[in-house]
Coordinates of all heavy atoms in Angstrom, one line a residue:
M914 N 0.8 -1.2 0.0 CA 0.0 0.1 0.0 C 0.9 1.3 0.0 O 0.5 2.2 -0.7 CB -0.9 0.0 1.3 CG -1.9 1.1 1.2 SD -3.1 0.8 2.5 CE -3.8 2.3 2.6
A915 N 2.0 1.2 0.7 CA 2.8 2.4 0.8 C 3.5 2.7 -0.5 O 3.6 3.9 -0.9 CB 3.9 2.1 1.9
L916 N 3.8 1.7 -1.3 CA 4.4 1.9 -2.6 C 3.3 2.6 -3.6 O 3.6 3.4 -4.4 CB 4.9 0.6 -3.2 CG 6.2 0.1 -2.6 CD1 6.5 -1.3 -3.2 CD2 7.3 1.1 -2.7
E917 N 2.1 2.1 -3.5 CA 1.0 2.7 -4.3 C 0.8 4.1 -3.9 O 0.7 5.0 -4.8 CB -0.2 1.9 -4.0 CG -0.3 0.6 -4.7 CD -1.5 -0.3 -4.3 OE1 -2.2 0.0 -3.3 OE2 -1.8 -1.3 -5.0
V918 N 0.8 4.4 -2.6 CA 0.6 5.9 -2.2 C 1.8 6.8 -2.7 O 1.6 7.9 -3.0 CB 0.5 5.9 -0.7 CG1 0.6 7.4 -0.2 CG2 -0.7 5.3 -0.2
A919 N 3.0 6.1 -2.8 CA 4.1 6.9 -3.3 C 4.2 7.0 -4.9 O 5.1 7.5 -5.3 CB 5.4 6.2 -2.8
G920 N 3.1 6.4 -5.4 CA 3.1 6.6 -6.9 C 3.8 5.5 -7.7 O 4.0 5.8 -8.9
V921 N 4.2 4.5 -7.1 CA 5.0 3.5 -7.8 C 4.0 2.5 -8.5 O 3.1 2.0 -7.9 CB 5.9 2.7 -6.7 CG1 6.7 1.5 -7.4 CG2 6.9 3.5 -6.1
G922 N 4.4 2.2 -9.7 CA 3.5 1.3 -10.5 C 4.2 0.6 -11.6 O 5.4 0.5 -11.6
E923 N 3.4 0.2 -12.6 CA 4.0 -0.6 -13.7 C 5.2 0.1 -14.4 O 5.0 1.3 -14.7 CB 2.9 -1.0 -14.6 CG 3.2 -1.9 -15.7 CD 2.1 -2.5 -16.5 OE1 0.9 -2.1 -16.2 OE2 2.3 -3.2 -17.5
G924 N 6.2 -0.6 -14.5 CA 7.4 -0.1 -15.4 C 8.4 0.6 -14.4 O 9.4 1.0 -14.9
D925 N 8.0 1.0 -13.2 CA 8.9 1.6 -12.3 C 9.9 0.7 -11.6 O 9.7 -0.5 -11.7 CB 8.1 2.4 -11.2 CG 7.2 3.5 -11.7 OD1 7.6 4.0 -12.8 OD2 6.2 3.8 -11.0
E926 N 10.9 1.2 -11.0 CA 11.9 0.3 -10.4 C 11.9 0.8 -8.9 O 11.8 2.0 -8.6 CB 13.3 0.5 -11.0 CG 13.4 0.0 -12.3 CD 14.8 0.2 -13.0 OE1 15.6 1.0 -12.3 OE2 15.1 -0.3 -14.1
V927 N 12.2 -0.2 -8.0 CA 12.4 0.1 -6.6 C 13.7 -0.6 -6.1 O 13.7 -1.8 -6.3 CB 11.1 -0.5 -5.8 CG1 11.4 -0.2 -4.3 CG2 9.9 0.3 -6.2
I928 N 14.5 0.1 -5.5 CA 15.7 -0.5 -5.0 C 15.5 -1.2 -3.7 O 14.9 -0.6 -2.8 CB 16.8 0.6 -4.9 CG1 17.1 1.1 -6.3 CG2 18.1 0.1 -4.3 CD1 18.1 2.3 -6.3
V929 N 15.9 -2.5 -3.6 CA 15.8 -3.2 -2.4 C 17.0 -3.9 -2.0 O 17.9 -4.2 -2.9 CB 14.6 -4.3 -2.5 CG1 13.3 -3.6 -2.7 CG2 14.9 -5.3 -3.6
P930 N 17.3 -4.2 -0.7 CA 18.5 -5.0 -0.4 C 18.5 -6.4 -1.0 O 17.4 -7.0 -1.0 CB 18.5 -4.9 1.1 CG 17.1 -4.7 1.5 CD 16.5 -4.0 0.4
A931 N 19.7 -6.9 -1.3 CA 19.8 -8.2 -1.8 C 19.6 -9.2 -0.7 O 19.2 -10.4 -1.0 CB 21.1 -8.4 -2.5
M932 N 20.0 -8.9 0.5 CA 19.8 -9.7 1.7 C 18.5 -9.3 2.4 O 18.6 -8.2 3.1 CB 21.0 -9.7 2.5 CG 20.9 -10.7 3.7 SD 22.2 -10.6 5.0 CE 21.3 -9.4 6.1
S933 N 17.4 -10.0 2.3 CA 16.2 -9.6 2.9 C 15.2 -10.7 2.8 O 15.5 -11.7 2.2 CB 15.6 -8.4 2.1 OG 14.4 -8.0 2.7
F934 N 14.1 -10.6 3.4 CA 13.0 -11.5 3.4 C 12.4 -11.4 2.1 O 12.3 -10.3 1.4 CB 12.0 -11.2 4.4 CG 10.9 -12.3 4.6 CD1 11.2 -13.5 5.0 CD2 9.6 -11.9 4.3 CE1 10.2 -14.5 5.1 CE2 8.7 -12.9 4.4 CZ 8.9 -14.1 4.8
A935 N 11.9 -12.5 1.4 CA 11.3 -12.5 0.1 C 10.2 -11.5 -0.1 O 10.0 -11.0 -1.3 CB 10.9 -13.9 -0.3
A936 N 9.5 -11.2 0.9 CA 8.4 -10.3 0.8 C 8.7 -8.9 0.4 O 8.0 -8.2 -0.2 CB 7.5 -10.2 2.1
S937 N 10.0 -8.5 0.7 CA 10.4 -7.2 0.3 C 10.4 -7.0 -1.2 O 9.9 -5.9 -1.7 CB 11.8 -6.9 0.7 OG 11.9 -7.0 2.2
A938 N 10.7 -8.0 -2.0 CA 10.7 -8.0 -3.4 C 9.3 -8.2 -3.9 O 8.9 -7.7 -5.0 CB 11.7 -8.9 -4.0
N939 N 8.6 -9.1 -3.3 CA 7.2 -9.5 -3.7 C 6.3 -8.3 -3.7 O 5.4 -8.2 -4.6 CB 6.7 -10.6 -2.8 CG 7.4 -11.9 -3.0 OD1 8.1 -12.1 -4.0 ND2 7.1 -12.9 -2.1
V940 N 6.4 -7.5 -2.7 CA 5.5 -6.3 -2.6 C 5.8 -5.3 -3.8 O 4.8 -4.7 -4.3 CB 5.6 -5.7 -1.2 CG1 6.9 -4.9 -1.1 CG2 4.4 -4.8 -1.0
V941 N 7.0 -5.3 -4.2 CA 7.4 -4.4 -5.4 C 6.7 -5.0 -6.7 O 6.1 -4.3 -7.4 CB 8.9 -4.3 -5.5 CG1 9.2 -3.6 -6.8 CG2 9.5 -3.6 -4.3
A942 N 6.9 -6.4 -6.8 CA 6.3 -7.0 -8.0 C 4.7 -6.9 -7.9 O 4.1 -6.9 -9.0 CB 6.7 -8.6 -7.9
R943 N 4.1 -6.9 -6.7 CA 2.7 -6.8 -6.6 C 2.2 -5.5 -7.3 O 1.0 -5.5 -7.9 CB 2.2 -6.8 -5.2 CG 0.7 -6.9 -5.0 CD 0.3 -6.9 -3.6 NE -1.2 -7.1 -3.4 CZ -2.0 -6.2 -3.8 NH1 -1.7 -5.1 -4.4 NH2 -3.3 -6.3 -3.6
V944 N 2.9 -4.4 -7.2 CA 2.4 -3.2 -7.8 C 2.9 -3.0 -9.2 O 2.9 -2.0 -9.8 CB 2.8 -1.9 -7.0 CG1 2.2 -1.9 -5.6 CG2 4.3 -1.8 -6.8
R945 N 3.4 -4.2 -9.7 CA 3.9 -4.3 -11.2 C 5.1 -3.5 -11.4 O 5.4 -3.0 -12.5 CB 2.8 -4.0 -12.1 CG 1.7 -5.0 -12.0 CD 0.7 -4.8 -13.2 NE -0.2 -6.1 -13.1 CZ -1.4 -6.0 -13.4 NH1 -2.0 -4.8 -13.9 NH2 -2.2 -7.1 -13.4
A946 N 5.9 -3.3 -10.4 CA 7.2 -2.6 -10.5 C 8.3 -3.6 -10.5 O 8.0 -4.8 -10.2 CB 7.4 -1.6 -9.4
K947 N 9.5 -3.2 -10.8 CA 10.7 -4.2 -10.9 C 11.6 -3.9 -9.7 O 12.0 -2.8 -9.5 CB 11.4 -3.9 -12.1 CG 12.7 -4.8 -12.3 CD 13.5 -4.3 -13.5 CE 14.8 -5.0 -13.5 NZ 15.7 -4.6 -14.6
P948 N 11.8 -5.0 -8.8 CA 12.8 -4.8 -7.7 C 14.1 -4.8 -8.3 O 14.5 -5.7 -9.1 CB 12.5 -6.0 -6.9 CG 11.8 -7.1 -7.7 CD 11.1 -6.3 -8.8
V949 N 14.9 -3.9 -7.9 CA 16.3 -3.8 -8.2 C 17.2 -4.1 -7.1 O 17.1 -3.4 -6.1 CB 16.7 -2.4 -8.8 CG1 18.2 -2.3 -9.1 CG2 15.9 -2.1 -10.0
F950 N 17.8 -5.3 -7.0 CA 18.6 -5.7 -5.9 C 20.0 -5.1 -5.8 O 20.7 -5.0 -6.8 CB 18.8 -7.3 -5.9 CG 17.5 -8.0 -5.8 CD1 16.9 -8.5 -7.0 CD2 16.8 -8.1 -4.7 CE1 15.6 -9.1 -6.9 CE2 15.6 -8.7 -4.5 CZ 15.0 -9.2 -5.7
V951 N 20.3 -4.5 -4.7 CA 21.5 -3.9 -4.3 C 22.2 -4.6 -3.2 O 21.5 -4.9 -2.2 CB 21.3 -2.4 -4.0 CG1 22.6 -1.7 -3.5 CG2 20.8 -1.7 -5.3
D952 N 23.5 -4.8 -3.3 CA 24.3 -5.5 -2.3 C 24.2 -4.7 -1.0 O 23.9 -3.5 -0.9 CB 25.6 -5.7 -2.7 CG 26.3 -7.0 -2.0 OD1 25.6 -7.6 -1.1 OD2 27.4 -7.3 -2.4
I953 N 24.5 -5.4 0.1 CA 24.5 -4.8 1.4 C 25.8 -4.3 1.9 O 26.8 -4.7 1.4 CB 23.9 -5.7 2.5 CG1 24.8 -7.0 2.6 CG2 22.5 -6.2 2.1 CD1 24.6 -7.9 3.8
D954 N 25.8 -3.4 2.9 CA 27.0 -2.9 3.6 C 27.3 -4.0 4.6 O 26.5 -4.4 5.4 CB 26.6 -1.6 4.1 CG 27.8 -1.0 4.9 OD1 27.9 -1.3 6.2 OD2 28.6 -0.3 4.4
L955 N 28.5 -4.4 4.8 CA 28.9 -5.4 5.8 C 28.7 -4.9 7.2 O 28.5 -5.7 8.1 CB 30.3 -5.9 5.6 CG 30.5 -6.6 4.2 CD1 32.0 -7.0 4.1 CD2 29.7 -7.9 4.2
Y956 N 28.8 -3.6 7.5 CA 28.7 -3.1 8.8 C 27.2 -3.0 9.3 O 26.8 -3.5 10.3 CB 29.3 -1.7 9.0 CG 29.0 -1.0 10.3 CD1 29.6 -1.5 11.4 CD2 28.2 0.1 10.4 CE1 29.3 -0.9 12.6 CE2 27.9 0.7 11.5 CZ 28.5 0.2 12.7 OH 28.2 0.8 13.9
T957 N 26.4 -2.5 8.4 CA 24.9 -2.2 8.7 C 24.1 -3.5 8.4 O 23.0 -3.6 8.9 CB 24.4 -1.0 8.0 OG1 24.4 -1.3 6.7 CG2 25.1 0.2 8.4
R958 N 24.6 -4.3 7.4 CA 23.8 -5.4 6.9 C 22.6 -4.9 6.2 O 21.5 -5.6 6.2 CB 23.6 -6.5 8.0 CG 24.8 -7.1 8.4 CD 24.7 -8.3 9.3 NE 23.8 -8.1 10.5 CZ 24.3 -7.6 11.6 NH1 25.6 -7.4 11.8 NH2 23.5 -7.5 12.6
N959 N 22.6 -3.7 5.7 CA 21.5 -3.2 4.9 C 22.0 -2.6 3.7 O 23.2 -2.7 3.3 CB 20.7 -2.2 5.7 CG 19.2 -2.2 5.4 OD1 18.8 -2.3 4.3 ND2 18.4 -2.2 6.5
L960 N 21.2 -1.8 2.9 CA 21.7 -1.3 1.6 C 23.0 -0.5 1.7 O 23.2 0.3 2.6 CB 20.6 -0.3 1.1 CG 19.2 -1.0 0.6 CD1 18.3 0.2 0.3 CD2 19.5 -1.7 -0.7
N961 N 23.8 -0.9 0.7 CA 25.1 -0.1 0.7 C 24.8 1.2 -0.1 O 24.4 1.2 -1.3 CB 26.1 -1.0 -0.1 CG 27.4 -0.4 -0.3 OD1 27.6 0.8 -0.6 ND2 28.5 -1.1 0.0
I962 N 24.9 2.3 0.6 CA 24.6 3.6 0.1 C 25.3 3.9 -1.2 O 24.7 4.4 -2.2 CB 24.7 4.7 1.1 CG1 23.9 4.4 2.4 CG2 24.4 6.1 0.5 CD1 22.5 4.2 2.1
D963 N 26.6 3.6 -1.3 CA 27.4 3.9 -2.5 C 26.8 3.1 -3.7 O 26.9 3.6 -4.8 CB 28.8 3.6 -2.2 CG 29.4 4.5 -1.2 OD1 29.1 5.7 -1.1 OD2 30.3 4.0 -0.4
L964 N 26.4 1.8 -3.5 CA 25.8 1.0 -4.5 C 24.5 1.4 -4.9 O 24.1 1.3 -6.1 CB 25.9 -0.4 -4.2 CG 27.3 -1.1 -3.9 CD1 27.1 -2.5 -3.5 CD2 28.1 -1.0 -5.2
V965 N 23.7 2.0 -4.0 CA 22.4 2.5 -4.3 C 22.5 3.7 -5.3 O 21.8 3.7 -6.3 CB 21.6 3.1 -3.0 CG1 20.5 3.8 -3.4 CG2 21.3 1.8 -2.1
K966 N 23.5 4.5 -5.1 CA 23.6 5.7 -6.0 C 23.9 5.2 -7.5 O 23.3 5.8 -8.4 CB 24.8 6.6 -5.6 CG 24.4 7.2 -4.3 CD 25.7 8.0 -3.8 CE 25.4 8.6 -2.4 NZ 26.6 9.3 -1.8
S967 N 24.6 4.2 -7.6 CA 24.9 3.7 -9.0 C 23.8 2.8 -9.6 O 23.7 2.7 -10.8 CB 26.2 2.8 -9.0 OG 26.1 1.7 -8.2
A968 N 22.8 2.4 -8.7 CA 21.7 1.6 -9.2 C 20.6 2.5 -9.7 O 19.6 2.0 -10.3 CB 21.2 0.7 -8.2
I969 N 20.6 3.8 -9.4 CA 19.5 4.7 -9.7 C 19.4 4.9 -11.2 O 20.5 5.3 -11.8 CB 19.6 6.1 -9.0 CG1 19.4 5.8 -7.5 CG2 18.5 7.0 -9.4 CD1 19.7 7.0 -6.6
T970 N 18.3 4.7 -11.8 CA 18.0 5.0 -13.2 C 16.8 5.9 -13.4 O 16.2 6.3 -12.4 CB 17.7 3.7 -14.1 OG1 16.4 3.2 -13.6 CG2 18.8 2.6 -13.7
P971 N 16.6 6.4 -14.7 CA 15.4 7.2 -14.8 C 14.0 6.5 -14.4 O 13.1 7.3 -14.1 CB 15.4 7.6 -16.3 CG 16.9 7.4 -16.7 CD 17.4 6.3 -15.8
R972 N 14.0 5.2 -14.3 CA 12.8 4.5 -14.0 C 12.6 4.3 -12.5 O 11.7 3.9 -12.0 CB 12.8 3.2 -14.7 CG 12.5 3.3 -16.2 CD 12.4 2.0 -16.8 NE 12.0 2.1 -18.1 CZ 10.8 1.6 -18.6 NH1 10.0 1.0 -17.8 NH2 10.5 1.8 -19.8
T973 N 13.7 4.6 -11.7 CA 13.7 4.4 -10.2 C 12.7 5.3 -9.6 O 12.8 6.5 -9.8 CB 15.1 4.5 -9.7 OG1 16.1 3.7 -10.3 CG2 15.1 4.1 -8.3
R974 N 11.9 4.8 -8.8 CA 10.8 5.7 -8.1 C 11.1 5.7 -6.6 O 10.5 6.6 -5.9 CB 9.4 5.3 -8.5 CG 9.1 5.5 -9.9 CD 9.0 6.9 -10.3 NE 8.8 7.0 -11.8 CZ 9.7 7.3 -12.6 NH1 11.0 7.5 -12.1 NH2 9.5 7.4 -13.8
A975 N 11.6 4.6 -6.0 CA 11.7 4.5 -4.6 C 12.9 3.6 -4.2 O 13.4 2.8 -4.9 CB 10.4 3.9 -4.0
I976 N 13.3 3.8 -2.9 CA 14.3 2.9 -2.3 C 13.6 2.4 -1.1 O 13.0 3.1 -0.3 CB 15.5 3.8 -1.9 CG1 16.2 4.4 -3.1 CG2 16.5 3.0 -1.1 CD1 17.3 5.4 -2.8
M977 N 13.7 1.0 -0.9 CA 13.0 0.4 0.2 C 14.0 -0.5 1.0 O 14.1 -1.6 0.8 CB 12.0 -0.5 -0.4 CG 10.9 -1.0 0.7 SD 9.6 -1.8 0.0 CE 10.2 -3.4 -0.4
P978 N 14.6 0.2 2.0 CA 15.4 -0.5 3.0 C 14.5 -1.5 3.8 O 13.4 -1.2 4.1 CB 16.1 0.5 3.9 CG 15.1 1.7 3.8 CD 14.5 1.6 2.4
C979 N 15.1 -2.6 4.2 CA 14.4 -3.6 5.0 C 15.1 -3.6 6.3 O 16.2 -4.0 6.5 CB 14.3 -5.0 4.3 SG 13.4 -6.2 5.3
I980 N 14.3 -3.2 7.4 CA 14.9 -3.1 8.7 C 14.6 -4.5 9.4 O 13.6 -4.7 10.0 CB 14.3 -2.0 9.6 CG1 14.5 -0.7 8.8 CG2 15.0 -1.9 10.9 CD1 13.8 0.4 9.4
L981 N 15.7 -5.4 9.3 CA 15.6 -6.7 10.0 C 16.2 -6.6 11.4 O 17.0 -5.7 11.7 CB 16.4 -7.7 9.2 CG 15.8 -8.0 7.8 CD1 16.9 -8.8 6.9 CD2 14.5 -8.7 7.8
P982 N 15.8 -7.5 12.3 CA 16.5 -7.5 13.6 C 18.0 -7.5 13.5 O 18.5 -8.2 12.7 CB 16.0 -8.8 14.3 CG 14.7 -9.1 13.6 CD 14.9 -8.6 12.2
A983 N 18.6 -6.6 14.3 CA 20.0 -6.5 14.3 C 20.7 -5.8 13.1 O 21.9 -5.7 12.9 CB 20.7 -7.8 14.6
C984 N 19.8 -5.4 12.2 CA 20.4 -4.6 11.0 C 20.1 -3.2 11.1 O 18.9 -2.8 11.6 CB 19.6 -5.1 9.7 SG 20.2 -6.8 9.3
R985 N 21.0 -2.3 10.8 CA 20.8 -0.9 11.0 C 20.7 -0.2 9.7 O 21.3 -0.5 8.7 CB 22.1 -0.3 11.7 CG 22.3 -1.0 13.0 CD 23.6 -0.6 13.5 NE 23.8 0.8 13.7 CZ 24.5 1.5 14.5 NH1 25.2 0.8 15.4 NH2 24.5 2.8 14.6
W986 N 19.7 0.7 9.7 CA 19.5 1.6 8.5 C 19.9 2.9 8.8 O 19.2 3.5 9.7 CB 18.0 1.5 7.9 CG 17.6 2.4 6.9 CD1 16.7 3.4 7.0 CD2 18.2 2.5 5.6 NE1 16.6 4.0 5.8 CE2 17.6 3.6 5.0 CE3 19.3 2.0 4.9 CZ2 17.9 4.0 3.7 CZ3 19.6 2.3 3.6 CH2 18.9 3.3 3.0
I987 N 20.9 3.5 8.4 CA 21.4 4.8 8.9 C 20.8 5.9 8.0 O 21.0 6.2 6.9 CB 22.9 4.9 8.7 CG1 23.5 3.7 9.5 CG2 23.5 6.2 9.1 CD1 25.0 3.6 9.4
R988 N 19.6 6.4 8.7 CA 18.8 7.4 7.9 C 19.4 8.7 7.6 O 19.2 9.2 6.6 CB 17.5 7.6 8.8 CG 16.7 6.4 8.9 CD 15.4 6.8 9.7 NE 14.7 5.6 9.9 CZ 14.6 4.9 11.1 NH1 15.4 5.3 12.1 NH2 13.9 3.8 11.2
M989 N 20.2 9.2 8.6 CA 20.7 10.6 8.3 C 21.6 10.7 7.0 O 21.4 11.6 6.3 CB 21.7 11.0 9.5 CG 21.0 11.0 10.8 SD 19.8 12.4 10.9 CE 21.0 13.7 11.1
R990 N 22.4 9.7 6.8 CA 23.2 9.7 5.6 C 22.5 9.3 4.4 O 22.8 9.8 3.3 CB 24.5 8.8 5.9 CG 25.3 8.7 4.7 CD 26.6 7.8 5.0 NE 27.3 7.5 3.8 CZ 27.8 6.2 3.6 NH1 27.7 5.3 4.6 NH2 28.3 6.0 2.4
S991 N 21.5 8.4 4.5 CA 20.9 7.8 3.4 C 19.7 8.7 2.8 O 19.4 8.5 1.6 CB 20.2 6.5 3.8 OG 19.3 6.7 4.8
T992 N 19.2 9.6 3.5 CA 18.1 10.3 3.0 C 18.5 11.4 2.0 O 17.7 12.1 1.4 CB 17.1 10.9 4.1 OG1 18.0 11.7 5.0 CG2 16.5 9.7 4.8
R993 N 19.8 12.0 2.0 CA 20.2 13.1 1.1 C 20.1 12.7 -0.3 O 19.6 13.4 -1.2 CB 21.5 13.5 1.6 CG 21.6 14.2 2.9 CD 22.9 14.7 3.2 NE 23.0 15.1 4.6 CZ 23.8 14.6 5.5 NH1 24.7 13.7 5.1 NH2 23.8 15.0 6.7
S994 N 20.7 11.5 -0.7 CA 20.8 11.1 -2.1 C 19.3 10.9 -2.7 O 19.1 11.4 -3.8 CB 21.6 9.8 -2.2 OG 21.6 9.4 -3.5
P995 N 18.4 10.2 -2.0 CA 17.1 10.0 -2.7 C 16.4 11.3 -2.9 O 15.7 11.5 -4.0 CB 16.3 9.2 -1.6 CG 17.3 8.5 -0.9 CD 18.5 9.4 -0.9
R996 N 16.5 12.3 -2.0 CA 15.8 13.6 -2.2 C 16.4 14.3 -3.5 O 15.7 14.9 -4.2 CB 15.9 14.5 -1.0 CG 15.1 14.0 0.1 CD 15.2 14.9 1.3 NE 14.5 14.4 2.4 CZ 14.9 14.6 3.6 NH1 15.9 15.4 3.9 NH2 14.3 14.1 4.6
K997 N 17.7 14.2 -3.7 CA 18.3 14.8 -4.8 C 17.7 14.2 -6.1 O 17.7 15.0 -7.1 CB 19.8 14.4 -4.8 CG 20.8 15.7 -4.5 CD 22.2 15.4 -4.8 CE 22.8 14.0 -4.7 NZ 24.2 14.0 -4.6
H998 N 17.4 13.0 -6.1 CA 16.8 12.3 -7.3 C 15.3 12.3 -7.4 O 14.7 11.7 -8.2 CB 17.4 10.9 -7.4 CG 18.9 10.9 -7.6 ND1 19.5 11.1 -8.8 CD2 19.9 10.7 -6.7 CE1 20.8 11.0 -8.6 NE2 21.1 10.7 -7.3
G999 N 14.7 12.9 -6.4 CA 13.2 12.9 -6.4 C 12.6 11.5 -6.1 O 11.5 11.2 -6.5
L1000 N 13.3 10.7 -5.3 CA 12.9 9.4 -4.9 C 12.2 9.4 -3.6 O 12.5 10.2 -2.7 CB 14.0 8.4 -4.9 CG 14.8 8.3 -6.3 CD1 16.0 7.4 -6.1 CD2 13.9 7.9 -7.4
R1001 N 11.4 8.3 -3.4 CA 10.7 8.1 -2.0 C 11.6 7.1 -1.3 O 12.1 6.1 -2.0 CB 9.3 7.6 -2.2 CG 8.4 8.6 -2.9 CD 8.0 9.7 -2.0 NE 7.0 10.5 -2.6 CZ 6.0 11.0 -2.1 NH1 5.8 10.7 -0.8 NH2 5.0 11.7 -2.7
V1002 N 11.7 7.2 0.0 CA 12.2 6.1 0.8 C 11.0 5.5 1.6 O 10.4 6.1 2.3 CB 13.2 6.6 1.8 CG1 13.7 5.5 2.8 CG2 14.4 7.2 1.1
V1003 N 10.8 4.2 1.3 CA 9.7 3.5 1.9 C 10.3 2.4 2.7 O 10.9 1.4 2.2 CB 8.7 2.8 0.9 CG1 7.6 2.0 1.5 CG2 8.2 4.0 0.0
E1004 N 10.3 2.5 4.0 CA 11.0 1.5 5.0 C 10.1 0.4 5.2 O 9.0 0.4 5.6 CB 11.3 2.2 6.3 CG 12.3 3.3 6.1 CD 12.8 3.8 7.5 OE1 12.2 3.4 8.6 OE2 13.7 4.7 7.5
D1005 N 10.7 -0.8 4.9 CA 10.0 -2.1 5.2 C 10.5 -2.5 6.6 O 11.5 -3.0 6.8 CB 10.5 -3.2 4.2 CG 9.8 -4.6 4.5 OD1 9.2 -4.7 5.6 OD2 10.0 -5.5 3.8
A1006 N 9.6 -2.1 7.6 CA 9.9 -2.3 9.0 C 9.1 -3.5 9.6 O 9.0 -3.5 10.9 CB 9.8 -1.0 9.8
A1007 N 8.6 -4.3 8.9 CA 7.8 -5.4 9.4 C 8.5 -6.3 10.4 O 7.8 -6.8 11.3 CB 7.3 -6.2 8.2
H1008 N 9.7 -6.5 10.3 CA 10.4 -7.4 11.2 C 11.3 -6.6 12.3 O 12.0 -7.3 13.0 CB 11.5 -8.3 10.4 CG 10.7 -9.3 9.5 ND1 10.1 -10.4 10.0 CD2 10.4 -9.2 8.3 CE1 9.5 -11.1 9.0 NE2 9.6 -10.4 8.0
A1009 N 11.2 -5.3 12.2 CA 12.0 -4.5 13.1 C 11.4 -4.5 14.5 O 10.2 -4.6 14.7 CB 12.1 -3.1 12.6
S1010 N 12.3 -4.4 15.5 CA 11.9 -4.3 16.9 C 11.5 -2.8 17.0 O 12.0 -1.9 16.2 CB 12.9 -4.7 17.8 OG 14.1 -3.9 17.7
A1011 N 10.8 -2.4 18.1 CA 10.5 -1.0 18.4 C 11.8 -0.2 18.5 O 11.8 1.0 18.0 CB 9.7 -0.9 19.6
R1012 N 12.8 -0.8 19.0 CA 14.0 0.0 19.2 C 14.7 0.3 17.8 O 15.2 1.4 17.6 CB 15.0 -0.8 20.0 CG 16.3 -0.1 20.3 CD 17.2 -0.8 21.2 NE 18.5 -0.2 21.3 CZ 19.5 -0.5 22.1 NH1 19.3 -1.5 22.9 NH2 20.5 0.2 22.1
A1013 N 14.6 -0.6 16.9 CA 15.2 -0.4 15.6 C 14.5 0.7 14.7 O 15.1 1.2 13.8 CB 15.2 -1.7 14.8
T1014 N 13.3 1.0 15.0 CA 12.6 1.9 14.2 C 12.8 3.3 14.7 O 12.3 4.3 14.0 CB 11.1 1.6 14.1 OG1 10.6 1.6 15.5 CG2 10.8 0.3 13.5
R1015 N 13.4 3.6 15.8 CA 13.6 5.0 16.3 C 14.6 5.6 15.4 O 15.5 5.1 15.0 CB 14.1 5.0 17.7 CG 13.0 4.4 18.6 CD 13.4 4.7 20.1 NE 12.4 4.0 21.0 CZ 12.7 3.1 21.9 NH1 14.0 2.8 22.1 NH2 11.8 2.6 22.6
A1016 N 14.5 6.9 15.2 CA 15.4 7.7 14.3 C 16.8 7.7 14.9 O 16.9 7.7 16.1 CB 14.9 9.1 14.3
V1017 N 17.8 7.6 14.1 CA 19.2 7.6 14.5 C 19.6 9.0 14.7 O 19.4 9.9 13.9 CB 20.0 6.9 13.4 CG1 21.5 6.9 13.8 CG2 19.6 5.5 13.3

């Protein structure tokens, strides 16, 4: 639902972490968009910000980090690049603990 509200649809691309639960990519496919898998950072075990930048194409509409238990998504550093490109950040926090979802 969040991807639909963000305007993601058929033919669009959404960047997701390569190490995640299958539902992260499935929800992207459900709105008929294409999941683009990006490798993870070994420290945070979430999207590698430098690789995200190189994965952005004219069809990219959103970045969807998946906040798994014990995985950190560093918001302060990561939100600058998407805004520059007019992208939405849709956090998949279904598996996150309450502590992991607090702003860094």
Side-chain angles (χ1 to χ4, degrees):
M914 185 170 168
L916 289 175
E917 290 173 340
V918 171
V921 176
E923 189 169 355
D925 294 336
E926 295 178 349
V927 178
I928 296 173
V929 296
M932 184 190 91
S933 180
F934 187 67
S937 299
N939 290 346
V940 73
V941 174
R943 186 183 183 294
V944 296
R945 297 191 169 145
K947 176 185 172 186
V949 175
F950 297 99
V951 171
D952 206 356
I953 62 166
D954 178 273
L955 293 177
Y956 172 69
T957 65
R958 294 188 305 274
N959 213 314
L960 288 169
N961 182 316
I962 302 304
D963 296 324
L964 297 177
V965 166
K966 292 174 187 174
S967 63
I969 295 172
T970 71
R972 291 180 169 245
T973 306
R974 297 289 172 260
I976 298 171
M977 194 170 78
C979 184
I980 304 172
L981 297 170
C984 293
R985 300 169 59 149
W986 171 239
I987 301 173
R988 292 182 186 99
M989 297 293 286
R990 181 174 161 220
S991 63
T992 55
R993 290 185 191 119
S994 180
R996 286 185 190 149
K997 251 192 331 192
H998 297 282
L1000 304 177
R1001 301 282 186 140
V1002 176
V1003 179
E1004 292 185 357
D1005 177 355
H1008 294 279
S1010 64
R1012 183 178 175 173
T1014 59
R1015 291 188 188 127
V1017 175

